Amino acid sequence: MTEVLVIEDDKHIRRLLRISLEKQGFSVREEGRGGDGIQRFAGIKPDIVLLDLGLPDMEGLEVLKALRAGSQVPVIVLSVRNGEADIVQLLNSGADDYLVKPFNTAELVARIRVA
């Protein structure tokens, strides 16, 4: 079973992702803060990470850099930021994909399967 780690501060979005992904057969772990997400990542070694950028304790870019320091696990960024510069910066920093909120969960599942 594919293990997904969701690092997202909005509990409603986390719940939506958990329900949607579990219906598709994924195992989902959740964290609402960047630091907690980094710790959980090290503990569970997920198959893929879904990462929000606007976290309460640190920027998603910093979380991405921490994850990339020791792993090449696919990371899909989920963010309301839709500026080309933001997207390019995250992709150049190691993100494997980028989806702008709001997004279609079927598209997200397809992107997870590709990653």
Side-chain angles (χ1 to χ4, degrees), residues 3-20:
E3 181 93 26
V4 179
L5 173 60
V6 176
I7 306 173
E8 162 69 60
D9 65 320
D10 186 310
K11 67 181 179 180
H12 301 293
I13 294 174
R14 284 197 318 264
R15 182 174 182 266
L16 169 71
L17 289 169
R18 181 177 36 81
I19 290 168
S20 300

Side-chain angles (χ1 to χ4, degrees), residues 27-80:
S27 173
V28 179
R29 303 284 189 250
E30 309 170 30
E31 291 296 341
R33 299 172 57 84
D36 295 337
I38 293 167
Q39 288 181 340
R40 175 67 71 99
F41 178 85
I44 65 171
K45 306 288 188 210
D47 298 302
I48 191 163
V49 176
L50 303 180
L51 175 62
D52 181 31
L53 295 181
L55 299 167
D57 60 333
M58 60 195 305
E59 266 300 304
L61 177 59
E62 296 307 312
V63 175
L64 176 63
K65 288 178 180 179
L67 299 180
R68 282 291 170 251
S71 175
Q72 290 303 310
V73 166
V75 176
I76 298 176
V77 173
L78 307 175
S79 179
V80 296

